[in-house]
Amino acid sequence: MRQLKHYFEVSNIYVLAKLKTLLFPWLQKQWHRHAERDQTGQVVGYKAPRADMQSPDLYIPTMGLVS
């Protein structure tokens, strides 16, 4: 469950921005993901959807399925 929790960590601002991106993809300028780094500068993973608009999430598809 801990691994799935990462994909559902979203905020209201994230959901609105993701819906805007889905409806108007040509308005999106940056498509790269933001990496999370440790003290030495090594990449240890990617930021959660709450902090990175390009991060994959399961909240939007789940709400679409439920709706």
Side-chain angles (χ1 to χ4, degrees), residues 12-31:
N12 290 339
I13 294 170
Y14 173 83
V15 172
L16 291 175
K18 188 60 98 165
L19 289 174
K20 182 181 119 184
T21 301
L22 288 171
L23 294 173
F24 308 108
W26 60 87
L27 296 177
Q28 185 70 22
K29 301 295 183 212
Q30 295 180 353
W31 291 95

Side-chain angles (χ1 to χ4, degrees), residues 35-45:
E36 231 175 66
R37 300 182 184 273
D38 62 2
Q39 299 288 353
T40 62
Q42 297 293 325
V43 175
V44 293

